[in-house]
Amino acid sequence: MATKYVYTFGDGKAEGEAKMRELLGGKGANLAEMSRIGVPVPAGFTITTEVCTYYYDHKQTYPQGMKQEVERALKHVEKVMGAKFGDAKNPLLLSVRSGARDSMPGMMDTVLNLGLNDVTVQALAAASGNDRFAWDSYRRFVQMYGDVVLGLKPTSKTEIDPFEKILDEVKEKAGVELDNELGVEDLQKLVKLFKAEIKKQTKSIFPEDPWQQLWGSIGAVFGSWNNQRAIIYRRLNKIPDEWGTAVNVQAMVFGNMGDDCATGVAFTRDPATGTNLFYGEYLRNAQGEDVVAGIRTPKPIAELKKEMPKLYKELNDIRLRLEKHYRDMQDVEFTIQRNKLWMLQTRNGKRTGFAACTIAVDMVKEKLIDEKTAIKRVDPNALNQLLAPIFDTKKKAAAVKGGALLAKGLPAGPGAATGRIVFHADDAEAMAKKGDPVILVRIETSPEDIKGMKAAQGILTAKGGMTSHAALVARQMGRVCVAGCGALDIDYKKGTMKVGGKTFKEGDFISLDGSAGEVLADKIDVSPSEVKVALFGKGAAATKAKRSRTYQAFAKLMAWADKFRKLEVWTNADQPNQAADAVVYGAHGIGLCRTEHMFFGGDRIVAVREMILADDLAGREKALAKLLPYQRKDFIGILKAMGARPVTIRLLDPPLHEFLPHTPAEIAEVAKAMGVSPKVIKAKTAALHEFNPMLGHRGCRLGVTYPEIYRMQVRAIVEAAVQVKTVNKINVHPEIMIPLVGHVKELDMLRKEAEQIIAEVLGKKKMKLDIMIGTMIELPRAALTAGDIAKVADFFSFGTNDLTQTTFGLSRDDAGSFLPEYVAKGLLPEDPFVAIDQNGVGRLMQLAATEGRATNAKLQVGICGEHGGEPSSVKFCHKIGLNYVSCSPPRVPIARLAAAQAALE
Ligand code: PEP
Ligand code: MG
């Protein structure tokens, strides 16, 4: 059978249907479906996306037979609508619109009022009894056709639109300000002037022949698939170029023929809150674009009930019918022409995270969908919105309008924060102690900034990507963060930050929208979200929040997700309060406790520095003896917070230079503690310098060269476990994790040393305790030799931050300056530090998991890199059969939902 290129719809029938979206595009498929189920749709036809592909593959020509199909289809439209294309008495007018598989709002071209010419305009005037309406439609058509089909556009960004220029001149002569004040004669003059301008500038003549108009418009709409706007939109939204657009040709209906006409847009439920009420706007005697253009203020849809009760009822019935049919919230466009209702479009409506949850849960209650479908309906990342503190929407919009938007960076930690600028961690702490909200602004952050980050409401950095130190710590702490904002010019010495032509001093207020990556001037009010209050609040406020619709929906959805998911969700936490939060968020255990983050609390850092700078073993052991009680206390706190859940504690990992003293005061302090001169300390600090610290003396290499460090840490872990077990009667499950192993012999040696300490401590206490010892897989060599490594490991945990860094040979701390361009230029589909690079890093993971389990059937395998909370990566982890993912506490719900979706896909 010959390929069919054109599908008609209208009059309660259609050749296409909803499931033919690939071929007919979203708009075309839904017009067909609406027609099929008896919703009044102006008749029309859809030219398939296959024609678009052919058009580009064959020098902008059409496949054989397609023209005849269009002619046949137009006859069908004429018959259904009772009008004739190009007829001098009763002309059929058409719209020609694009329609890709996924909607690309406003990116491609549209032609309206097609079929008008010097003859048919008279007929339209007679039929409508409204000369002004007819001539205004005609001048709009000539303008649109001149722009879209004949390419008469401004030649530069600064030039004003040639048609607008003429329009302004005519308005000036007529002495009016607005388009709708022009009279019939002015409009007639405009049509003439527009046509003359087209002829002058494009050397083409505006075609009076409707068929020529139609073919010109079809070609232009196919052509607009490859305009710059559409290409960029596809890049940003990951829409493949090969999809192509369909073209929808449809009979025009008019909402602007008089007071018995109207036009509007509506959602079948509230897209912001999800409330089940008809939500939308309309205008009487208006065209579709008037509703969105903002010149006239549209009325809420509820008023239609009073103004046109019969039509409102019909519209509301259609709303209910469409929801029942599509089983999802719809976004519709409608027009009322002379008291007859027409539906122009329906599609699944875009919604906020709040609405997504509420609608999904409500629709299960209403038996429109089942639990599994509800789970699939909610984008896991949308849960961020439910948890993040919120800006007062009106106040933010007003601030932006007033020019408050300064710059954009990476949306590294979602939510809204407002506070005073502070450039140093100590100052942040001090300011927070005074009760002032703080935004910590840094060129980049390092572990020593942690206390400042904790004290701050938000963190802003000039450098660094989505897994930079600032970003991952911020998310783990649930702090708002905008990272890698290159437009910032920070001067620590002067205590200033220049951005967007303004200079800010320490203490000035700024605001961060971490969900959008925006930096804003001044203070904008925020408040904690309802779900957060329900989960963590106390007393009456919490009780009230728990009863809220949003929280109820969130809790239901989470319960369903837990029912279906196979992956466990653990958390990355290194403070008891983080651990406790994670448990509330539903974490099953701790997958990564970074012990180095504990080295900055109180005056521990002095002891840490003593340890690093000591000359010999005796000196180091003296310093380590001071650290042991601190670490033990930390571990006791975290083990208590986690109860019987597993707690994976990673031994010291980062390069030592991160702990070295820098300022004269820090140097003096350590010198005093060690009884040497500051000069000695300075010299030692210089001697420890590394060119490439990320590949230097870090990870298990520290354990190899300074075994006493790991011995102290293991001792602290076991002693803490013993104490919590005996004193608090908690059946603790600590696990010891060794970082950055590249060779089985490293792990073998360090494991034996750890086992010795474990045996020694337990022996002394005459206790038994199972403590698993495993490793992170962070180096390609570790992944490739996983079969060997697994023989001496109880578990693997993929450190995908480092594994991505080492697999790509891409510094995670420097990539922020060039990686965005890789994504923008389409070299990489996404930042590999955000979503697992499945073809590269992912293959190493799969190989390591498979070969590791082949030599050790009991091997437990998880992930603790930042990817563990990113939905597509969570799904990948499910696919390759990991046991768990571990992520920062606020991402735990996101991972639970993503894991459930993975299990259902
Ligand atoms: C990792 O590398 O993925 C990891 C979790 O360790 P860190 O981020 O502390 O290097
Ligand atoms: Mg690592």
Side-chain angles (χ1 to χ4, degrees), residues 718-741:
V718 188
E719 288 180 357
V722 166
Q723 178 168 336
V724 177
K725 192 166 170 147
T726 48
V727 178
N728 306 91
K729 311 278 181 246
I730 295 174
N731 192 16
V732 290
H733 283 98
E735 301 184 3
I736 293 170
M737 180 153 79
I738 308 210
L740 217 76
V741 163

Side-chain angles (χ1 to χ4, degrees), residues 650 653 698 740 776 778 799 801-802 812:
R650 177 177 75 185
D653 175 37
R698 62 170 288 214
L740 217 76
M776 297 186 72
E778 305 180 273
N801 302 332
D802 274 310
R812 57 196 265 200

Side-chain angles (χ1 to χ4, degrees), residues 309-358:
K310 242 186 80 206
L311 287 154
Y312 176 84
K313 188 180 176 304
E314 193 185 341
L315 184 62
N316 195 44
D317 286 349
I318 289 174
R319 161 196 170 218
L320 301 175
R321 184 131 56 98
L322 286 175
E323 269 210 349
K324 227 181 200 150
H325 185 75
Y326 284 98
R327 296 166 190 275
D328 200 354
M329 188 263 269
Q330 297 295 297
D331 161 3
V332 299
E333 286 176 22
F334 64 91
T335 285
I336 294 167
Q337 176 179 312
R338 299 247 152 108
N339 288 321
K340 163 125 184 76
L341 173 67
W342 295 97
M343 300 307 291
L344 304 184
Q345 166 152 309
T346 190
R347 61 184 169 196
N348 293 339
K350 297 241 184 299
R351 62 205 80 177
T352 65
F354 299 94
C357 286
T358 307

